[in-house]
């Protein structure tokens, strides 16, 4: 019997796949637990429509991430940091502070978990920080750290 999986099943496959299982396994396990539905014409059509909708949503998210990446290229976030002699800073700038400053200064909602700092910012200067907006899109944001008097 052919079955369309509604959820990931460890030994069978992933959600949305069409798999061939024995009649007894389908009748006694897959169908009663709502892990899958029989692969008839109506269910196959529903699956096709769901996949088309998911592809459309994924494409829209990718385009939105690309637009946000273009906007990020033009923006600069300024952060103040106390420093001692020779420009040596006290403490460091975290991704949380960068996200808060981007929200305040540029009106951009950035998730602190998406901001990728290779190492903590511990000195004054201008830094280019990567922001992972989508699995295929990474934007660059300029962060300028100046001395706080």
């Amino acid at each position: 019997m052919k079955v369309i999986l509604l959820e990931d099943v460890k030994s069978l496959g992933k959600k949305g796949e069409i798999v061939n299982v024995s009649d007894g396994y389908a009748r006694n396990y897959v169908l009663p637990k709502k892990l899958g539905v029989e692969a008839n014409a109506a269910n196959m059509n529903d699956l096709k429509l769901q996949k088309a909708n998911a592809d459309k949503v994924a494409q829209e998210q990718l385009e939105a991430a690309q637009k946000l990446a273009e906007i990020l290229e033009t923006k600069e976030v300024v952060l103040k940091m106390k420093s001692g002699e020779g420009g040596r800073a006290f403490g460091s700038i975290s991704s949380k502070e960068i996200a808060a400053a981007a929200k305040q200064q540029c009106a951009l909602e950035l998730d602190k978990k998406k901001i990728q700092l290779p190492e903590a910012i511990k000195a004054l200067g201008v830094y280019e920080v990567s922001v992972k907006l989508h699995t295929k899109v990474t934007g660059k944001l300029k962060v300028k750290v100046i001395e706080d008097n």
Side-chain angles (χ1 to χ4, degrees):
M1 175 185 277
K2 287 191 182 244
V3 175
I4 300 171
L5 296 177
L6 299 176
E7 294 180 25
D8 291 353
V9 180
K10 190 172 185 178
S11 60
L12 282 180
K14 302 233 180 250
K15 178 180 177 179
E17 285 184 7
I18 301 169
V19 293
N20 204 6
V21 296
S22 68
D23 292 351
Y25 185 64
R27 234 178 300 131
N28 296 322
Y29 183 74
V30 177
L31 298 177
K33 293 195 179 229
K34 306 274 191 238
L35 299 175
V37 292
E38 188 178 347
N40 57 25
N43 290 336
M44 295 287 278
N45 194 28
D46 288 347
L47 176 67
K48 191 163 73 171
L49 291 173
Q50 287 174 352
K51 282 188 178 182
N53 188 33
D55 290 344
K56 182 181 172 191
V57 169
Q59 184 64 30
E60 288 173 356
Q61 288 175 344
L62 178 64
E63 289 171 2
Q66 289 171 338
K67 286 180 184 174
L68 184 56
E70 290 173 11
I71 292 169
L72 280 179
E73 297 284 336
T74 63
K75 301 289 183 184
E76 181 179 73
V77 176
V78 179
L79 291 163
K80 293 183 179 180
M81 178 184 242
K82 290 195 182 274
S83 63
E85 290 182 28
R88 182 141 170 88
F90 299 128
S92 65
I93 301 286
S94 67
S95 58
K96 182 178 179 182
E97 293 169 316
I98 294 171
K103 184 176 181 181
Q104 182 183 18
Q105 296 172 17
C106 305
L108 293 173
E109 287 285 334
L110 297 177
D111 186 5
K112 68 179 182 180
K113 296 174 189 137
K114 306 264 184 197
I115 297 174
Q116 299 173 324
L117 292 173
E119 65 219 22
I121 298 175
K122 295 184 177 185
L124 305 177
V126 179
Y127 298 89
E128 202 165 86
V129 177
S130 298
V131 182
K132 188 127 176 112
L133 302 170
H134 189 270
T135 54
K136 298 176 184 174
V137 180
T138 302
K140 300 277 187 199
L141 176 67
K142 275 191 181 172
V143 177
K144 186 176 183 180
V145 182
I146 60 173
E147 187 173 357
D148 187 18
N149 294 335

